[in-house]
Amino acid sequence: MPQITVDYSAELDEVFDRPAFALALHPLVAETVDTKVAACKTRFRRTAETVVADAPAGDVLVHVDISLLPGRTPEIKARLTAAVLELLTGHLRAVAGPALHLSAEARDLDASYRKA
């Protein structure tokens, strides 16, 4: 915990330094939700095809999903997602061309969550 999943458009492969983003993301998450950096785990899922509304082909997106143990207030989660979007924007500042759609969500892990 936190379990972080980043879905991103394949078109960003060459311009999105995913390890650098994760290494910057982990301390931000840890500080915001009062956990340890060592608890943060991030996986990236490359999305081969995306369609955004009625936009022309070429729009790209990144969505960051952060799953947390229950107990954080909606205000803390909102502060976290705002900070994540700011960090993400900084890591993708050089992206030119297609429209870039960024989003983030923080949610509670289900009561069935276990780790070994």
Side-chain angles (χ1 to χ4, degrees), residues 51-70:
V51 177
V52 179
D54 60 353
D59 280 11
V60 295
L61 62 86
V62 179
H63 176 74
V64 181
D65 183 72
I66 305 164
S67 298
L68 306 163
L69 290 174

Side-chain angles (χ1 to χ4, degrees), residues 7-12 47 50-52 59-63 92 99-103:
D7 294 308
Y8 70 96
S9 296
E11 294 86 353
L12 295 173
T47 305
T50 56
V51 177
V52 179
D59 280 11
V60 295
L61 62 86
V62 179
H63 176 74
L92 293 169
L100 183 60
H101 302 270
L102 308 177
S103 59

Side-chain angles (χ1 to χ4, degrees), residues 78-112:
R79 189 168 68 234
L80 175 60
T81 55
V84 168
L85 288 177
E86 184 176 328
L87 180 67
L88 188 56
T89 300
H91 279 263
L92 293 169
R93 188 163 288 140
V95 174
L100 183 60
H101 302 270
L102 308 177
S103 59
E105 180 179 9
R107 68 176 84 212
D108 290 345
L109 286 161
D110 188 78
S112 66

